[in-house]
Amino acid sequence: MNLENNSGLLDKIKNITPALTTKFSAIGINTYWDLLLHIPIRYEDLTKVYNITDVKVGSVAQIEGEILSAAVINKRTKQLQVQITDGNEIITLIFFHFYPNYASQYQIGKKIRAFGEVKAGFGMMGKSIIHPKVQSVTYTPNLSNTFSPIYGTTNGLKQNQIVKLVEEALLLLDQIDILPDNLIANLPKISKALLTLHKLTPKEFNTEAHNEALTRLKMDELIAQQLILYKAYELKHKNESTVLKPRATYTRMLLDSLPYKLTPEQTKVLGEIYADIAKPTQMNRLLQGDVGSGKTIVATMAMLVAVENGYQAAIMAPTEILAQQHYTKTKQLLQAIGIEVVWLSGSLTTKQKKMVYNDIKTGVAKIIIGTHAIFQKDVEFNNLALIAVDEQHRFGVEQRLSLQAKGINPHQLMMSATPIPRTLAMSYYADLDISTIDKLPPGRTPIKTVLINSGRRLEVIKFVAEMCSKNSQVYWVCPLIEESENLDLQNAINTFNELQDGLNGYRVGLVHGKLKPTEKSSVMKEFSDGKIQVLVATTVIEVGVDVPNASIMVIEHSERMGLSQLHQLRGRVGRGSIDSQCILLYQGPLGEIAKRRLKVIYENNDGFVIANEDLAIRGPGELLGQKQSGLPALRFANLDTDLPLLKEAKEFAKIIATKYPDIAKEFISLWFNSSEHFLMV
Ligand code: ADP
Ligand code: MG
């Protein structure tokens, strides 16, 4: 990247000792640009001196006066009290932490300034300030005309050390206006904005100017992020890949063998995928659709296009359970039409793996299904042309990276059941093309949702027993309660024991994150085979699992869970034609937000509506999570409140990327100098 123009800013900070360098590095400051972006967390107004009489209790102010007395007082705790007066009123400065020689420094008659929050005095005392900032005024120092910035810091790094370096960085401000001047005409230039923020004047404080400076900073950050996404989009879409055209052989056979017809929605997204893979460049498409919207069959069709062109295709799922299910179902579907499907996961024995590796290498295996084990370095494909990634947000960035690191550019189809409102998705996944299924296939029986106070737990157990006697199957989910896997597990085990006692005669199973993959799969298999009637689970079952005979979902502590997660869990039932119920147990009393959230889940069945509500209540930051995006964290802009800004930033980024590619490069390197690897994702 071309760093010529801003090398001064990206240069390591000069004039700084190695010890200080370490301390600055610890708070993420390595360059002058980092310093400029280290904007004050607050300001202190040392621009004025107030009359003691004029300052109100509770306000933060600077006063000035002559010392009347200084004495160490032995009250409940030892304290140094210094009384000063400006001729009209007396104020007491109180210090709880002080060195013995402090008292002698406050000589009677000396003039000092003190800054801090003014409190009502104790006992007979008038106003007081606890631990004020004090400076002596024997030489009458000038008052500053800007606020004093207070910077975020860590142990060992002093305010004045930061202030000194920031002053130095501010000398380089004329180098940072690299975006075209006329582009963002309604906001101040970034140099002006940063100057305002570091050197705020009393006149600007909390005014439009202050606000606009902040907005400009956020805008530039969002533009930088959008530019990265554009860049990623460009890079990805430049990759050469295999031209795949539907030949209506295997795809036709599969369609003919299905007990249902694809919905218009499914046909539409399939058309979008077909158009992508018919091009000689790599497809990077996100297929989003609510739980149960039928994404799997769409992905299977796309994979078959690869196969009918003589290539291999793979589908990767985030958990062993889910991958196993894909395997079982896909195998059933495809064996009938003579296609070799293989299963690959970490739980295979070395010998089994060897055989599978061999089949993959020779091309005997046409469709490969598994966990991320598919992309271990030992796996060599014969001619992989398409890879589908289910529940893509569950995979870490590194795992997605390893797809590219293989040196092959298969078409990529990402799938997600966490529907993200369209505007947000378009901005947030700007590196992907998006296809959306927004209606479920017909013939689903709606799930009845009930909210029950956990005080009525015994009644719920009784109801479950009754349903078991009618041959229904039940999920009982104990979600994450503490941020501790052990407590979480204990909670599930307790419930398991309780249900075993309470449901005498019916088989209860337990599945949780600590089980080995094979153990998990075997419990799940017993459940899907109907050998277990009640499955107690931690949230491991959240994604994708499909057991049509399961018609009851009980979720404990629903008040603590995210709406989208609840919706996903609820989507585990209602898969067959039986009437299904979701029982949300909650622990009262509920706060306002919890009530509002549960009301949303109670009243709505559409994942997009729920996601929108979730967005309104929690904001997109929570909804998306940083992990899912794989992007550098936003420091200034906040997706919860700055969504309109994001839309504007997207427009600006588009202009910059297309009209000023050199500036785009420079701007990205300025903002994300240390995070260029994100471009590779
Ligand atoms: P998800 O989008 O959550 O992955 P699935 O692909 O697992 O959903 O589909 C859910 C269920 O819907 C499956 O049992 C599948 O066979 C069924 N299904 C998919 N498409 C249709 C359709 N067009 N008509 C009826 N049922 C369908
Ligand atoms: Mg699925």
Side-chain angles (χ1 to χ4, degrees), residues 493-532:
I493 292 173
N494 292 347
T495 304
F496 172 68
N497 291 333
E498 182 189 3
L499 290 182
Q500 270 196 324
D501 291 346
L503 298 172
N504 219 338
Y506 301 109
R507 270 202 69 193
V508 182
L510 174 64
V511 59
H512 55 77
K514 286 268 167 79
L515 290 181
K516 285 196 201 117
T518 46
E519 293 171 326
K520 260 190 246 172
S521 309
S522 85
V523 179
M524 285 310 296
K525 187 164 186 329
E526 284 183 284
F527 187 61
S528 61
D529 290 348
K531 292 181 188 144
I532 287 175

Side-chain angles (χ1 to χ4, degrees), residues 295-296 322 326 390-391 544:
K295 296 184 291 293
T296 318
L322 191 56
H326 275 305
D390 200 10
E391 308 293 344

Side-chain angles (χ1 to χ4, degrees), residues 258-264 266 287-300 322 325-326 329 333 390-391 415-417 437 440-444 543-546 548 568 571-572 574-576:
L258 290 178
Y260 53 80
K261 271 170 94 164
L262 294 188
T263 63
Q266 287 169 317
L287 172 57
Q288 49 168 3
D290 205 350
V291 225
S293 60
K295 296 184 291 293
T296 318
I297 193 69
V298 172
T300 311
L322 191 56
Q325 241 188 20
H326 275 305
K329 284 177 116 184
L333 283 175
D390 200 10
E391 308 293 344
M415 297 192 272
S416 173
I437 305 182
L440 298 187
R444 297 282 161 81
V543 288
V545 188
D546 197 9
Q568 296 263 316
R572 300 303 113 222
R575 304 219 135 203

Side-chain angles (χ1 to χ4, degrees), residues 128-256:
S128 66
I129 304 181
I130 296 172
H131 281 282
K133 257 190 192 167
V134 175
Q135 52 174 328
S136 125
V137 282
T138 43
Y139 55 93
T140 327
N142 292 331
L143 287 168
S144 152
N145 50 16
T146 59
F147 283 163
S148 307
I150 302 297
Y151 293 103
T153 180
T154 51
N155 278 346
L157 199 52
K158 298 202 180 73
Q159 282 298 332
N160 60 6
Q161 291 172 319
I162 303 179
V163 171
K164 211 173 119 217
L165 281 183
V166 168
E167 291 288 340
E168 223 177 288
L170 289 173
L171 297 176
L172 302 170
L173 272 183
D174 58 344
Q175 295 185 32
I176 69 171
D177 291 314
I178 57 177
L179 293 187
D181 271 356
N182 54 350
L183 189 68
I184 309 169
N186 59 337
L187 289 173
K189 287 184 185 179
I190 188 71
S191 59
K192 173 78 178 56
L194 286 172
L195 188 65
T196 302
L197 293 171
H198 284 288
K199 303 232 146 207
L200 197 65
T201 63
K203 243 173 81 189
E204 288 166 331
F205 180 64
N206 270 347
T207 63
E208 199 52 28
H210 187 184
N211 201 21
E212 281 179 352
L214 274 172
T215 307
R216 174 65 203 234
L217 185 60
K218 292 173 175 181
M219 177 68 90
D220 278 25
E221 178 178 46
L222 288 169
I223 290 176
Q225 193 195 54
Q226 289 301 305
L227 281 174
I228 278 204
L229 290 169
Y230 266 111
K231 177 108 188 163
Y233 183 94
E234 240 182 38
L235 283 179
K236 284 176 173 179
H237 288 73
K238 255 192 223 149
N239 288 334
E240 279 178 32
S241 195
T242 325
V243 172
L244 302 172
K245 295 199 171 127
R247 312 229 172 256
T249 55
Y250 292 130
T251 43
R252 181 80 264 153
M253 284 154 84
L254 177 64
L255 282 182
D256 288 345

Side-chain angles (χ1 to χ4, degrees), residues 279-315:
K279 292 183 203 150
T281 50
Q282 188 184 23
M283 167 172 75
N284 285 282
R285 190 166 281 280
L286 174 71
L287 172 57
Q288 49 168 3
D290 205 350
V291 225
S293 60
K295 296 184 291 293
T296 318
I297 193 69
V298 172
T300 311
M301 287 292 285
M303 291 197 285
L304 283 191
V305 178
V307 178
E308 63 190 12
N309 280 275
Y311 293 92
Q312 293 173 304
I315 182 163

